[in-house]
Amino acid sequence: MFQAIKTPNRPFLFVFFCFLSLSLFATEPGTRIKECSLLDPGVPADFFFSRALREQVDGFQAAQRRKPEDSKLSFERSVSFLDSYHLCLKEVGKEPSALSAETQSLNYLELGSLDKAWEWSEVARSKSPEVSKDQILLQTRIRIRQGELAKASDVLESSLHKFPNDPDFLYLLGNINFERKLWNQSILYYTALSFVIERRDTHSKYKFLTAKALGELNYKLDHPKIAIKRYQEYTAFYKNDMEVLFRLAQIYFVLVDFKHCRLYLEQIREKNPRDIDASHMLGEIYFMDARESAPTYFATLKKEKKIPKEGIIYLLDRFLNGSTTGLEVKLKTYIQDNPGRLSPRIALLELADKEKLSDYDALNSETAQYAYEYRQYLTAEKILRRGLSRIKTKENAEEERSLFWEKISSCQEMLGQWNHSVMATKEAITLTNETEKSFRLRFRLAYLYLQGNLKKESLSVSILSETIQENPSPTHYYLRGLAYFQLEKYKESASDFTEAITLDPKNPNYYFYRATAYDKLKQFGDTEADLKTTITLNPNASNAMNYLGYLYAEKDINPEDASKLLNQAVSLEPDNPAYQDSLGWVLYRKKDYNRALLHLNFAASLALERGFEDPVIYEHLGDVYLAKKDPVNALQFFKLSESKLKSETSKDLVAKIKKVQKEISE
């Protein structure tokens, strides 16, 4: 993943000839002054600098021609000339310049003398009135070559607010953090880079590399639909990247979109007929999802000589051909050696059903559980319904049927089928006579009424109120508190969270949600106290840190505490747009406008990547630009905020828009 930084471009030849002209036309014969003990009279010290630059250029050119020995010799000569130049400066009481120190640092970097390279890079920075982009990238290269990726990241991050839209900085930060396996940090920078590319640099050399990186990162962080979008941007240009095509197939498999999964696997087979992995994965998908077409496909594999003499494809082929002798033992052995594979479990379950094996019920439950864990919810539901249909008149049949309906409800919930999930849960409730199980199922029903597009908070409250009378559990008070909150009954909500805390005083979630209710009731002292308790009970409670830090910023109090809290929240979840927005807002209140813009742009780009646009973030961006006396950009973001509001535009935002429009027209 990691790619080396290219050498910064500089006008070496131009500088060389300028210094050469100084040496040729310095003074007339007879009046020449000896400037340095190492040089003849009349020859300026800059002669050594010009020779050093020339040798450095020769070193890079030799490296490009793949002549390492010549390259090394040129860099060594450049070091020697610069040593002489610095000695000449010392004789007249001068110190190395930023340019000569940077040049020497670059020489030592190319020679692999990394400690000396760093020392000279520090000299270069100390001699510069303002640190340049080249100096920062040079120090980043040194840290990378030293294997100090964390320090390389620190070099870039410390100056990022000065170069917030620089593609090189953002790409390197994304790349370095990817190598460090800091996925959330990496996605922050790659997302910001994508934002820059789309708006400022549409022909960027990083465009497709960024799309691929974002595909991989969103896949790792369980954002499969965004991963697909980014991978498809990449494959639109790089059509033959088999690794990415296979990853797309894997994602669609996880999403239970077997149609698109097969499409990408067929593409791989077409582009690379010798590919085995795609051919075998496609065989498993045909077996699980398109059984009527599976025999034809397996016949094709046999013709292509892609059915081995052992393994899962061999076993599935035997099952399809009806060759079941000894197959049960072979499938069980394979499952024991490969517990993560679903297709052999399905084959074994169907074999148990067909052969009327005694362990069918256990296999049904186990296979459904594995299908559920691998997100194959439709498959899991299908297996469970088959098992449900076999339960007849055996002892405790109703309790077993109740358990099946509960599991089916869970599958439907994960598929977003809220009404079906509610009906399945109700069926489970009617079938059970176990008190604890009934409480659990009623809690689940109350929970479902708060989800998706159901929004039946009153029904949820009613179920929980009845349950609480019988079983005053802290989780039931907690859920009813959430229901009351959604109904905007904040006093009742706070009261229920208090009851939950009384029963379970060590649960940080109860304090956090009571704080949100107190905030709605304008009880700042209670809100602050509960948020602090949440953080005490859970030192990683980033939601509480963000909430409290933002409240401090809004009230313009405790600025240092606000900054500390929000920096902690961002360090825990760097790719959370709400946290980046809060930190940007605190920095705005501290009048640190460049850093505020950096974090607010992070927030805007992350929100876009997740598929939404937050009007609050845009309004904050407008506020910062207004403070920076940039009314054009301020108006752009105020208007953008107004366009994304779902409710009526606030009076404050309307006033800001009118003010900026007036300022621009004057």
Side-chain angles (χ1 to χ4, degrees):
M1 184 70 189
F2 190 82
Q3 296 183 3
I5 310 168
K6 293 184 178 179
T7 304
N9 295 319
R10 288 193 290 174
F12 291 105
L13 292 177
F14 173 75
V15 174
F16 168 69
F17 286 117
C18 286
F19 286 134
L20 183 61
S21 65
L22 288 172
S23 67
L24 291 174
F25 304 102
T27 55
E28 295 181 4
T31 61
R32 293 176 180 173
I33 300 171
K34 191 175 180 68
E35 290 190 9
C36 176
S37 62
L38 301 177
L39 291 166
D40 291 333
V43 180
D46 288 339
F47 166 77
F48 284 128
F49 194 14
S50 65
R51 287 298 306 274
L53 291 171
R54 176 67 265 176
E55 291 293 346
Q56 190 179 79
V57 171
D58 288 346
F60 284 121
Q61 290 177 343
Q64 288 175 351
R65 294 194 299 269
R66 298 184 180 178
K67 294 184 176 181
E69 290 303 319
D70 291 348
S71 176
K72 180 183 177 185
L73 215 57
S74 291
F75 285 120
E76 287 173 343
R77 284 196 290 261
S78 183
V79 166
S80 179
F81 280 124
L82 278 170
D83 284 343
S84 297
Y85 174 64
H86 292 146
L87 186 60
C88 289
L89 291 178
K90 188 175 181 180
E91 287 181 1
V92 295
K94 294 182 180 179
E95 295 182 347
S97 67
L99 182 58
S100 69
E102 186 182 340
T103 305
Q104 190 70 301
S105 175
L106 191 53
N107 284 332
Y108 279 122
L109 174 61
E110 296 302 322
L111 290 169
S113 300
L114 302 179
D115 289 341
K116 287 185 176 180
W118 181 259
E119 288 173 13
W120 279 104
S121 73
E122 286 285 82
V123 173
R125 289 191 67 157
S126 69
K127 299 298 179 184
S128 301
E130 190 168 339
V131 180
S132 70
K133 173 182 172 179
D134 282 351
Q135 289 171 346
I136 297 165
L137 292 180
L138 175 59
Q139 289 201 321
T140 304
R141 289 184 65 195
I142 296 167
R143 288 307 194 197
I144 291 169
R145 287 278 295 277
Q146 289 174 328
E148 298 278 6
L149 294 185
K151 290 182 179 179
S153 184
D154 289 342
V155 170
L156 290 163
E157 286 179 338
S158 64
S159 298
L160 186 58
H161 65 286
K162 298 176 182 176
F163 306 91
N165 297 311
D166 189 282
D168 294 329
F169 277 50
L170 294 170
Y171 176 73
L172 283 167
L173 281 165
N175 215 337
I176 288 168
N177 283 288
F178 191 98
E179 289 297 309
R180 295 172 66 197
K181 295 182 170 53
L182 299 176
W183 313 128
N184 300 80
Q185 197 75 21
S186 181
I187 204 171
L188 166 69
Y189 295 119
Y190 273 121
T191 302
L193 175 55
S194 176
F195 197 66
V196 170
I197 290 170
E198 288 175 13
R199 285 157 180 75
R200 297 171 181 260
D201 189 12
T202 53
H203 299 290
S204 172
K205 61 185 175 183
Y206 299 126
K207 184 174 184 178
F208 297 107
L209 291 172
T210 299
K212 183 178 182 180
L214 283 171
E216 187 69 15
L217 287 162
N218 278 293
Y219 173 75
K220 289 179 182 296
L221 294 172
D222 202 22
H223 303 302
K225 292 183 180 178
I226 304 175
I228 288 170
K229 174 177 174 284
R230 291 302 189 178
Y231 275 138
Q232 286 177 339
E233 288 174 14
Y234 173 76
T235 55
F237 190 80
Y238 293 98
K239 300 180 186 297
N240 296 319
D241 190 325
M242 299 298 140
E243 181 185 349
V244 171
L245 292 175
F246 193 75
R247 178 54 56 80
L248 278 164
Q250 288 176 312
I251 295 171
Y252 278 118
F253 180 83
V254 169
L255 293 175
V256 204
D257 186 342
F258 292 126
K259 177 183 176 182
H260 282 96
C261 182
R262 290 200 301 268
L263 177 67
Y264 280 105
L265 292 172
E266 291 287 7
Q267 279 188 42
I268 296 171
R269 279 174 49 79
E270 183 181 342
K271 295 173 188 292
N272 184 13
R274 295 183 179 181
D275 188 280
I276 295 293
D277 291 337
S279 297
H280 286 181
M281 184 178 178
L282 193 54
E284 290 187 71
I285 289 171
Y286 270 111
F287 179 82
M288 290 188 292
D289 184 60
R291 185 66 59 81
E292 69 285 351
S293 304
T296 303
Y297 178 74
F298 273 77
T300 301
L301 288 182
K302 188 172 291 184
K303 185 177 179 181
E304 294 173 354
K305 298 181 179 179
K306 289 181 180 176
I307 296 183
K309 294 182 180 179
E310 57 183 14
I312 184 58
I313 295 300
Y314 165 74
L315 295 174
L316 296 181
D317 184 54
R318 280 192 58 185
F319 181 90
L320 291 170
N321 289 329
S323 179
T324 59
T325 304
L327 187 57
E328 178 191 354
V329 174
K330 287 184 176 294
L331 282 169
K332 286 182 175 179
T333 301
Y334 184 87
I335 290 168
Q336 186 175 355
D337 294 337
N338 303 273
R341 300 293 279 272
L342 183 59
S343 60
R345 292 180 182 277
I346 291 174
L348 180 60
L349 180 65
E350 292 187 17
L351 183 66
D353 190 18
K354 187 177 181 180
E355 301 286 329
K356 301 191 184 311
L357 301 178
S358 60
D359 58 352
Y360 174 84
D361 291 341
L363 287 172
N364 180 282
S365 178
E366 188 178 279
T367 306
Q369 183 62 32
Y370 268 88
Y372 184 88
E373 288 176 3
Y374 285 93
R375 304 185 187 183
Q376 304 304 305
Y377 305 119
L378 284 172
T379 302
E381 183 181 352
K382 181 179 177 182
I383 292 168
L384 289 166
R385 287 186 180 278
R386 176 63 180 158
L388 184 63
S389 69
R390 290 170 60 99
I391 300 172
K392 295 180 181 177
T393 58
K394 62 181 181 180
E395 188 178 349
N396 208 30
E398 288 198 342
E399 290 298 338
E400 194 168 343
R401 287 175 63 206
S402 174
L403 182 60
F404 269 89
W405 279 113
E406 183 180 359
K407 290 180 178 180
I408 288 169
S409 171
S410 295
C411 294
Q412 293 166 335
E413 177 193 346
M414 299 309 295
L415 291 166
Q417 299 172 353
W418 305 108
N419 283 309
H420 286 86
S421 185
V422 163
M423 288 188 288
T425 302
K426 286 181 176 179
E427 186 69 24
I429 292 170
T430 62
L431 289 167
T432 186
N433 290 313
E434 296 177 7
T435 303
E436 288 301 318
K437 187 176 180 181
S438 176
F439 285 144
R440 185 182 75 237
L441 288 168
R442 284 153 65 184
F443 179 86
R444 173 171 175 72
L445 184 60
Y447 158 81
L448 287 170
Y449 278 135
L450 299 178
Q451 305 307 311
N453 57 359
L454 294 180
K455 299 298 180 185
K456 295 181 178 180
E457 295 89 350
S458 297
L459 275 175
S460 183
V461 167
S462 177
I463 293 167
L464 290 165
S465 296
E466 182 182 328
T467 307
I468 285 169
Q469 286 184 351
E470 302 173 44
N471 179 36
S473 162
T475 55
H476 291 144
Y477 277 116
Y478 166 67
L479 188 61
R480 193 173 69 173
L482 292 177
Y484 276 133
F485 191 93
Q486 290 185 21
L487 288 166
E488 299 182 7
K489 294 183 177 182
Y490 303 121
K491 285 185 179 180
E492 292 86 344
S493 178
S495 176
D496 270 359
F497 291 131
T498 299
E499 292 292 342
I501 288 167
T502 301
L503 294 168
D504 184 6
K506 298 296 184 182
N507 191 315
N509 288 331
Y510 301 162
Y511 291 94
F512 176 78
Y513 285 103
R514 187 171 69 173
T516 64
Y518 281 146
D519 185 33
K520 292 291 186 181
L521 293 168
K522 310 296 184 187
Q523 296 175 212
F524 175 71
D526 292 327
T527 303
E528 181 185 32
D530 271 359
L531 290 172
K532 285 182 175 180
T533 302
T534 304
I535 296 166
T536 300
L537 291 171
N538 177 14
N540 293 321
S542 56
N543 56 351
M545 295 170 189
N546 175 68
Y547 205 128
L548 185 55
Y550 190 78
L551 282 177
Y552 283 156
E554 280 289 278
K555 293 183 177 296
D556 209 10
I557 60 173
N558 304 333
E560 295 308 314
D561 288 343
S563 183
K564 180 182 176 182
L565 285 163
L566 290 169
N567 275 299
Q568 280 182 282
V570 165
S571 69
L572 289 166
E573 289 187 51
D575 59 333
N576 188 311
Y579 298 178
Q580 291 287 350
D581 173 63
S582 296
L583 182 55
W585 190 240
V586 165
L587 291 165
Y588 162 75
R589 290 300 185 106
K590 293 172 72 174
K591 295 183 168 49
D592 191 346
Y593 300 133
N594 287 339
R595 284 188 173 85
L597 279 179
L598 175 68
H599 289 282
L600 289 170
N601 276 312
F602 282 160
S605 61
L606 288 166
L608 271 175
E609 183 76 354
R610 306 291 161 80
F612 68 93
E613 294 181 80
D614 190 337
V616 174
I617 296 172
Y618 290 140
E619 185 174 357
H620 287 170
L621 277 164
D623 289 329
V624 178
Y625 278 116
L626 189 59
K628 283 173 66 70
K629 303 190 185 306
D630 184 349
V632 174
N633 272 315
L635 181 61
Q636 175 192 343
F637 282 107
F638 287 147
K639 284 283 191 181
L640 200 52
S641 176
E642 184 182 41
S643 69
K644 302 303 175 185
L645 283 168
K646 294 180 180 178
S647 56
E648 187 178 344
T649 307
S650 70
K651 292 181 180 179
D652 284 347
L653 183 56
V654 171
K656 289 174 187 177
I657 291 171
K658 287 181 179 178
K659 177 185 175 182
V660 177
Q661 286 175 330
K662 183 179 178 182
E663 187 176 336
I664 292 172
S665 65
E666 288 178 352

